[in-house]
């Protein structure tokens, strides 16, 4: 019945105002996210993944700004909303989880204080009711003895526990969408799996949408239903997880998957994509990947390839695919 | 109860008890504060009650010298007031002014520093230039100017009644940029941290982020300069009183006692100026030593092995 997507990003463009002119960090990014859908955004450092995440909250920090495009969330245009209304959406309808749980909790306030405060910022309920909700969420993220934990400070928790707390805080107001910006990068591998499982389970049971930003393909294929691959500020390929991970179309995605150590025989030399991602000041004309692409042709250097449906069933931005 | 037990076991108390300098100065300060605030209870005389003062008792030496009077342990001043009692009351005035002035400085400075640091941009530039201008006037110059202005405006009689709040305002106003700069510097460092970003993502209002999330994280340096500032404020008050722009002789502070005694030092009545002077030095010294210890304690880079 609900045909309208939860979030619809159209031609989002985020620029940074620099001394020598504007840099385009996110260049005409478009995607849709249905209610309860899980999208993974992958790419190298500096590809514009995190900035896109902040852009969705309309919280790009200075000197960055949203230069164009539309952000339709639950039928409301986020780029045009006044600050006060945006604040009511942040932490309430859309939550965000950051990379480093050591840094995202305020060291001088107890967990309970921070959780209750998050609830009271958005709902007119009593402190006792808010505490009850906080307790419930802490139970949901499987932290033992929640009552006691609420009165503790962040330094009394281990890294994995803190990330659980951060997830609990994100869940407080039952958001429709969670943006997780590299939620497992700062954790060790065994805990990564726990946290991902937790996040996945919660998204399914609470029917929340998830945008998972990461550079780890294994993480993304474990959790997301669809994958968007970003390169130098643009989406180069987007499609269902099985499609993108199993049968990549764009040369960059192919290179990325080919570079996984599992794909190389033991003792063999790892594949890599030659060169480095261009800095934003030096994105080549035409296709941004043209200077590293082994298949590059004349047309690639001249025209920017549009993101369009390809025969394989995904969307990709490449002239050479049909 | 649990909080108290936690406090007793904390590293703060542990390292305090290990430092004889900190213990000594704290003890000194605690005694001085207690006797001065308990002055109405323990002082043998009431220096504010002129009916008990006899001019015939003036300039009596301390007990252990010739011509002393058993009633006056540390002698009397030029008006026949008991030195010990007057000093206790005077110290109370000094400490009150010191604390009051610092409270005012801290309030103004924290407010300005927090808002300037968090907002940034032109607003920050404007407030900080204002602080620079304020700092480029010497504290004493500002205090002397306004002190003289108030005395002229209110007349001596009214001034004597209003002296304490006026001195608090003058000294408080002259030193607020110290706090503003300190707080702003730490706010600039704190506001780049991720928990502030997280607070914004949660949708908290800027006011809440500033006061509830950033401010508590900047309080360490504020605590440290507060001790130094209390000592400074007490000294400023003493200096102003010494040049006759502070507390009137009828309600003396330590500074005005030193000044009152200074006129008699050449006639041999050294005790009127010496005892309040010693009290002042001990008071300032113990505050400063305690402040030093606090600074070392709160600075993790200075942990001794």
């Amino acid at each position: 019945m609900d045909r309208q997507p939860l979030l619809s990003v159209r031609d989002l463009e985020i620029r940074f105002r620099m001394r020598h002119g504007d840099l385009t960090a996110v260049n005409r990014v478009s995607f849709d996210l249905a209610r309860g859908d899980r999208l993974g955004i992958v790419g190298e450092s500096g590809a514009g993944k995190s900035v896109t995440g902040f852009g969705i909250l309309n919280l790009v920090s200075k000197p960055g700004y949203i230069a164009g495009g539309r952000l339709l969330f639950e039928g409301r245009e986020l780029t045009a909303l006044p600050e006060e209304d945006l604040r009511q959406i942040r932490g309430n309808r859309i939550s965000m989880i950051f990379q480093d749980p050591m840094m995202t909790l305020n060291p001088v306030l107890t967990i309970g204080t921070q959780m209750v405060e998050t609830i009271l910022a958005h709902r007119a309920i009593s402190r006792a009711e808010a505490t009850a909700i906080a307790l419930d969420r802490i139970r949901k993220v499987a932290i033992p003895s929640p009552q006691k934990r609420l009165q503790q400070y962040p330094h009394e928790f281990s890294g994995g526990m803190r990330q659980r707390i951060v997830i609990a805080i994100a869940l407080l107001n039952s958001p429709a969408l969670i943006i997780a910006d590299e939620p497992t990068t700062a954790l060790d591998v065994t805990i990564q799996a726990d946290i991902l499982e937790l996040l996945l389970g919660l998204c399914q049971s609470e029917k929340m949408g998830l945008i998972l930003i990461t550079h780890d393909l294994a993480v993304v294929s474990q959790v997301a239903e669809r994958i968007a691959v970003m390169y130098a500020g643009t989406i180069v390929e987007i499609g269902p997880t099985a499609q993108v991970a199993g049968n990549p179309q764009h040369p960059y995605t192919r290179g990325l998957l080919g570079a996984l150590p599992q794909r190389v025989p033991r003792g063999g030399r790892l594949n890599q994509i030659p060169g480095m991602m261009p800095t934003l000041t030096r994105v080549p004309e035409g296709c941004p990947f043209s200077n590293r692409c082994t298949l590059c042709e004349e047309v690639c250097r001249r025209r920017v390839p549009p993101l369009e449906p390809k025969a394989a069933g995904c969307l990709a931005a490449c002239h050479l695919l049909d | 109860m649990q909080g108290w037990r936690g406090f007793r076991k904390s590293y703060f108390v542990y390292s305090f008890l290990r430092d004889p300098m900190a213990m000594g100065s704290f003890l000194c300060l605690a005694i001085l504060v207690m006797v001065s605030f308990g002055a109405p209870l323990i002082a043998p005389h009431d220096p504010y009650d002129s009916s008990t003062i006899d001019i015939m008792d003036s300039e009596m030496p301390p007990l252990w010298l010739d011509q002393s009077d058993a009633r006056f342990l540390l002698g009397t001043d030029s008006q026949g007031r008991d030195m010990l009692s007057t000093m206790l009351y005077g110290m109370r005035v000094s400490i009150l002014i010191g604390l009051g002035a610092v409270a005012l400085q801290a309030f103004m400075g924290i407010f300005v520093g927090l808002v300037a640091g968090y907002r940034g941009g032109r607003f920050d530039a404007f407030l900080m230039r204002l602080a620079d201008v304020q700092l480029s006037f010497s504290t004493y110059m500002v205090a002397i100017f306004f002190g003289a202005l108030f005395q002229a405006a209110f007349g001596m009689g009214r001034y004597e009644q209003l002296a304490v709040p006026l001195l608090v305002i003058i000294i408080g106003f002259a030193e607020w940029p110290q706090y503003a700069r300190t707080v702003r510097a730490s706010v600039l460092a704190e506001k780049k941290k991720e928990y502030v970003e997280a607070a914004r993502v949660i949708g908290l209002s800027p006011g809440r982020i500033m006061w509830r999330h950033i401010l508590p994280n900047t309080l360490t340096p504020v605590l440290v300069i507060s001790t130094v500032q209390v000592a400074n404020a007490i000294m400023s008050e003493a200096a102003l009183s010494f040049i006759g722009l502070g507390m009137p002789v009828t309600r003396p502070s330590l500074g005005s006692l030193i000044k009152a005694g200074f006129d008699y030092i050449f006639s041999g009545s050294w005790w009127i100026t010496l005892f309040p002077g010693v009290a002042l030095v001990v008071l300032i010294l113990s505050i400063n030593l305690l402040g030093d210890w606090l600074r070392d304690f709160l600075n993790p880079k200075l942990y001794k092995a």
Side-chain angles (χ1 to χ4, degrees):
Chain A
M1 57 176 207
D2 196 2
R3 295 275 81 197
Q4 196 188 23
L6 174 68
L7 173 75
S8 161
V9 179
R10 283 284 163 275
D11 295 329
L12 181 67
E13 195 166 332
I14 298 171
R15 292 198 186 147
F16 282 77
R17 201 164 274 140
M18 295 312 216
R19 209 162 290 163
H20 42 265
D22 283 11
L23 294 181
T24 308
V26 173
N27 193 2
R28 299 174 67 85
V29 161
S30 303
F31 59 86
D32 285 344
L33 192 76
R35 218 164 266 280
D37 206 2
R38 297 186 298 278
L39 171 75
I41 301 182
V42 289
E44 294 171 54
S45 310
K49 309 180 301 273
S50 298
V51 181
T52 307
F54 278 105
I56 293 169
L57 284 167
N58 202 343
L59 251 184
V60 186
S61 47
K62 279 181 192 168
Y65 65 102
I66 295 183
R70 306 208 304 137
L71 285 166
L72 212 60
F73 175 77
E74 294 188 323
R76 295 211 274 175
E77 176 56 48
L78 296 189
T79 52
L81 278 186
E83 183 64 23
E84 191 58 39
D85 294 3
L86 276 173
R87 243 190 353 249
Q88 279 313 313
I89 289 179
R90 292 178 198 142
N92 193 13
R93 304 303 303 151
I94 307 179
S95 289
M96 194 154 176
I97 299 170
F98 292 95
Q99 174 175 358
D100 193 348
M102 305 287 165
M103 307 289 297
T104 46
L105 294 166
N106 190 332
V108 301
L109 298 177
T110 61
I111 299 301
T113 313
Q114 298 187 47
M115 294 185 84
V116 167
E117 178 184 61
T118 308
I119 301 173
L120 294 183
H122 297 290
R123 287 195 248 174
I125 56 176
S126 75
R127 207 155 262 281
E129 287 171 287
T131 311
I133 296 177
L135 276 174
D136 171 65
R137 299 301 191 270
I138 288 203
R139 279 196 200 99
K140 273 204 175 122
V141 296
I143 290 178
S145 52
Q147 203 88 45
K148 191 177 131 214
R149 288 304 209 171
L150 274 188
Q151 282 152 30
Q152 293 185 326
Y153 289 89
H155 72 263
E156 299 176 75
F157 291 81
S158 68
M161 281 293 177
R162 275 191 236 188
Q163 197 62 304
R164 282 169 193 267
I165 295 284
V166 171
I167 293 174
I169 290 179
L171 291 176
L172 282 173
N173 292 315
S174 317
L177 172 63
I178 289 191
I179 301 172
D181 188 358
E182 312 231 4
T184 56
T185 311
L187 306 173
D188 51 44
V189 185
T190 46
I191 298 176
Q192 277 187 11
D194 288 353
I195 295 285
L196 282 178
E197 211 163 290
L198 175 71
L199 205 54
L200 182 62
L202 285 167
C203 282
Q204 281 166 342
S205 64
E206 314 275 314
K207 303 243 177 311
M208 286 181 302
L210 175 72
I211 294 180
L212 182 69
I213 297 169
T214 179
H215 56 247
D216 190 338
L217 280 163
V219 164
V220 106
S221 47
Q222 191 182 337
V223 173
E225 293 163 332
R226 287 193 306 143
I227 296 183
V229 182
M230 282 191 81
Y231 182 82
T234 56
I235 291 185
V236 293
E237 182 165 358
I238 182 169
T241 302
Q243 179 77 54
V244 175
N247 183 17
Q249 296 299 308
H250 195 280
Y252 176 65
T253 320
R254 273 190 235 161
L256 213 54
L257 285 162
L260 288 176
Q262 298 91 295
R263 307 273 165 115
V264 181
R266 257 190 111 72
R269 200 177 160 78
L270 298 180
N271 300 320
Q272 58 177 42
I273 307 174
M276 279 181 11
M277 194 173 74
T279 54
L280 292 177
T281 42
R282 271 188 228 118
V283 181
E285 245 176 83
C287 175
F289 190 56
S290 58
N291 60 347
R292 295 170 72 187
C293 187
T294 46
L295 309 169
C296 180
E297 285 178 9
E298 191 51 37
V299 60
C300 300
R301 295 211 182 80
R302 275 186 286 109
R303 265 191 322 122
V304 181
L307 187 66
E308 51 193 13
K310 300 296 178 188
C314 63
L315 299 173
C318 184
H319 292 303
L320 307 178
L321 300 169
D322 33 46
Chain B
M1 205 52 221
Q2 208 205 341
W4 169 241
R5 227 180 297 135
F7 177 71
R8 257 179 42 195
K9 276 196 283 181
S10 69
Y11 186 65
F12 179 80
V13 172
Y14 174 82
S15 78
F16 177 76
L17 295 176
R18 292 282 148 131
D19 191 331
M21 187 86 99
M23 289 260 278
S25 51
F26 178 76
L27 209 65
C28 235
L29 185 65
I31 290 172
L32 287 180
V33 169
M34 271 192 302
V35 296
S36 59
F37 280 88
L41 299 174
I42 55 173
H45 298 263
D46 181 357
Y48 296 162
D49 182 0
S50 52
S51 62
T52 63
I53 299 169
D54 190 345
I55 193 75
M56 295 305 288
D57 295 334
S58 68
E59 294 188 58
M60 294 259 194
L63 209 51
W64 56 91
L65 295 180
D66 290 345
Q67 297 174 312
S68 60
D69 190 310
R71 286 177 298 155
F72 308 116
L73 179 65
L74 295 180
T76 59
D77 71 356
S78 59
Q79 298 175 27
R81 291 183 294 197
D82 174 39
M83 273 315 294
L84 179 64
S85 316
T86 318
M87 267 168 56
L88 292 182
Y89 277 87
M91 193 141 62
R92 187 173 68 161
V93 172
S94 291
I95 294 175
L96 268 181
I97 292 176
L99 292 178
V102 167
L104 182 66
Q105 287 169 20
F107 178 75
M108 289 175 64
I110 287 174
F111 186 81
V112 171
L114 200 56
V115 174
Y118 188 72
R119 283 276 153 80
R122 278 202 197 133
F123 195 66
D124 174 37
F126 172 73
L127 285 175
M128 282 303 116
R129 291 304 81 74
L130 208 67
D132 288 345
V133 169
Q134 172 79 66
L135 271 187
S136 65
F137 295 111
S138 130
T139 305
Y140 292 118
M141 197 177 106
V142 176
I144 290 169
F145 179 74
F146 282 102
L149 208 66
F150 281 136
Q151 270 192 18
F154 291 115
M156 219 36 208
R158 285 282 286 156
Y159 181 81
E160 284 184 14
Q161 289 169 348
L162 289 176
V164 174
L166 281 182
L167 282 168
V168 165
I169 291 172
I170 291 170
I171 299 171
F173 203 78
E175 293 263 315
W176 67 267
Q178 300 284 3
Y179 277 92
R181 285 183 160 186
T182 311
V183 170
R184 174 179 172 267
S186 359
V187 168
L188 289 184
E190 289 296 324
K191 82 168 175 180
K192 296 212 180 73
K193 296 202 176 156
E194 270 190 42
Y195 72 85
V196 176
E197 191 101 64
R200 291 204 294 152
V201 165
I202 283 169
L204 300 182
S205 64
R208 208 165 166 81
I209 295 176
M210 267 191 267
W211 290 96
R212 196 121 163 92
H213 285 253
I214 299 183
L215 181 62
N217 281 299
T218 61
L219 284 185
T220 305
V222 168
L223 213 59
V224 172
I225 61 169
S226 288
T227 55
V228 181
Q229 288 296 91
V230 170
N232 277 348
I234 291 176
M235 280 205 295
S236 300
E237 185 280 325
L240 286 176
S241 295
F242 191 76
I243 56 173
L245 287 165
M247 293 303 293
V249 194
T250 47
R251 291 190 60 198
S253 66
L254 288 179
S256 28
L257 276 177
I258 297 171
K259 144 101 162 97
F262 197 65
D263 299 337
Y264 295 89
I265 202 163
F266 294 111
S267 58
S269 309
W270 48 266
W271 56 89
I272 308 180
T273 218
L274 182 72
F275 293 136
V278 170
L280 183 68
V281 169
V282 172
L283 180 64
I284 302 285
L285 194 64
S286 49
I287 294 177
N288 277 339
L289 287 177
L290 209 56
D292 275 355
W293 171 77
L294 195 63
R295 188 196 56 209
D296 291 351
F297 171 75
L298 293 173
N299 185 351
K301 285 182 194 142
L302 285 181
Y303 274 155
K304 291 161 202 146

